[in-house]
Amino acid sequence: MLRFSMPLVCLVCTFTVAQTSQPAVEVTPEAKVLLDRVNAAYLQAQSKPVTNAATITGEFDIAGRSKKYEMKVYGFADGKGHFDHRVKDIGRVVQTEDRLIVYDAVRNSFGTLMQNPAIRKPIDVVDAVTDVLIDENPSLLMLISNEPVELLKRGAQRISTRDDKLVIESDEDVREIEIGSDDMITAVTLDYSPVLKSRMAEGIKIARVRLVYVPTDLPDQPKDLYLFALPDGSTEFRLQAELMKAPTPGLRRDPKPTSLPTTSE
């Protein structure tokens, strides 16, 4: 998985579009009602440009090693398939006019996939995009698909409710999603402790990430919105094509740098 917000997880980027089918998710009746409301809210939100911002805090204490961090996240979507996900000083995922770009600022490296902007079926959303946004900006993720909540179900085993919140359980984590009066996400808590404790005998004190949406301090239309200029010295990801069953049209496997749009002034 590719995650900018998980310092304890290795950064590995695999661009795949065709995904293997997953077992049916167990969804309680109460959760289905809430998911339907959330789905309708995000479909309606796609009718106009959306700007959002969030604060992500992480706290880990595992086997005597502890780490805390905080990140600022900004997102933009125009309802037509352009989107822009920014993690300050960490990375960026952007759909330009002709390509998807994932940029890792920490390593000054990037990956690209030639594709036009579009509101896509969940199965056509690139895995790397889902991996990043489901943890770092799930609201933005659901603004780029015509079946928004299906992306929330990715990898889930069971979805239920607790105190009017969605609870999504998977092999990796338990996430609690808080829903606002407008039926859109206001906060998410990801707890990795239950899964880690089932795999390790001891040493798991806390492994939690919390995302809270906040008012944005960015303009509605930054001058470089949906554009990207490569920083000096950046290198391209070596995409793991061998993990794919078949070549994906437009997927770059050439390690040479890609010519990208320059930022407009």
Side-chain angles (χ1 to χ4, degrees):
M1 276 194 164
L2 172 64
R3 287 171 173 161
F4 293 144
S5 62
M6 289 289 292
L8 301 184
V9 176
C10 293
L11 183 73
V12 178
C13 180
T14 304
F15 283 95
T16 56
V17 177
Q19 299 149 15
T20 57
S21 60
Q22 68 174 42
V25 182
E26 179 189 349
V27 181
T28 67
E30 297 81 6
K32 185 181 184 307
V33 171
L34 187 50
L35 285 170
D36 288 345
R37 284 169 33 202
V38 171
N39 197 72
Y42 279 95
L43 286 175
Q44 182 177 7
Q46 292 174 9
S47 64
K48 61 182 181 180
V50 174
T51 301
N52 67 19
T55 299
I56 297 176
T57 54
E59 184 175 4
F60 294 83
D61 191 333
I62 301 174
R65 296 176 58 194
S66 61
K67 185 177 183 68
K68 294 182 180 181
Y69 63 88
E70 180 175 305
M71 305 189 315
K72 302 294 185 181
V73 175
Y74 303 94
F76 309 86
D78 68 353
K80 300 176 182 178
H82 294 93
F83 66 91
D84 201 337
H85 169 68
R86 308 178 185 202
V87 186
K88 188 175 181 181
D89 301 324
I90 301 295
R92 188 174 173 192
V93 181
V94 57
Q95 173 66 58
T96 71
E97 196 59 42
D98 63 355
R99 72 196 73 204
L100 171 72
I101 303 165
V102 178
Y103 176 66
D104 176 7
V106 176
R107 296 164 180 80
N108 195 22
S109 57
F110 67 97
T112 64
L113 176 66
M114 300 302 296
Q115 66 174 26
N116 295 323
I119 300 296
R120 303 181 188 279
K121 297 178 180 179
I123 197 170
D124 293 328
V125 177
V126 175
D127 282 343
V129 172
T130 302
D131 288 346
V132 172
L133 297 187
I134 199 167
D135 287 350
E136 298 176 7
N137 198 336
S139 273
L140 184 63
L141 178 64
M142 294 202 292
L143 289 168
I144 64 175
S145 174
N146 59 8
E147 298 178 67
V149 298
E150 291 303 310
L151 292 171
L152 277 186
K153 296 179 182 178
R154 183 79 61 84
Q157 296 175 327
R158 186 174 190 272
I159 303 178
S160 58
T161 60
R162 182 190 303 134
D163 300 327
D164 297 323
K165 303 172 186 176
L166 284 169
V167 179
I168 302 180
E169 301 171 61
S170 73
D171 281 336
E172 290 195 346
D173 56 54
V174 176
R175 64 187 63 210
E176 190 174 87
I177 301 178
E178 300 170 35
I179 308 298
S181 58
D182 59 357
D183 292 330
M184 299 180 75
I185 297 172
T186 59
V188 181
T189 300
L190 292 86
D191 189 358
Y192 298 92
S193 300
V195 174
L196 290 174
K197 287 178 179 177
S198 70
R199 298 174 182 174
M200 301 175 64
E202 57 185 17
I204 309 298
K205 292 185 177 180
I206 188 170
R208 185 178 301 145
V209 176
R210 178 155 173 86
L211 176 151
V212 178
Y213 284 102
V214 297
T216 176
D217 56 2
L218 283 184
D220 290 339
Q221 294 290 331
K223 64 180 181 179
D224 61 342
L225 188 60
Y226 315 131
L227 297 173
F228 187 82
L230 280 178
D232 292 339
S234 58
T235 58
E236 191 163 9
F237 290 134
R238 288 188 176 275
L239 304 183
Q240 296 177 313
E242 69 275 8
L243 297 182
M244 293 181 290
K245 294 181 179 179
T248 303
L251 181 65
R252 283 186 51 84
R253 297 183 179 86
D254 184 348
K256 293 182 294 185
T258 304
S259 176
L260 300 174
T262 56
T263 303
S264 58
E265 296 297 335

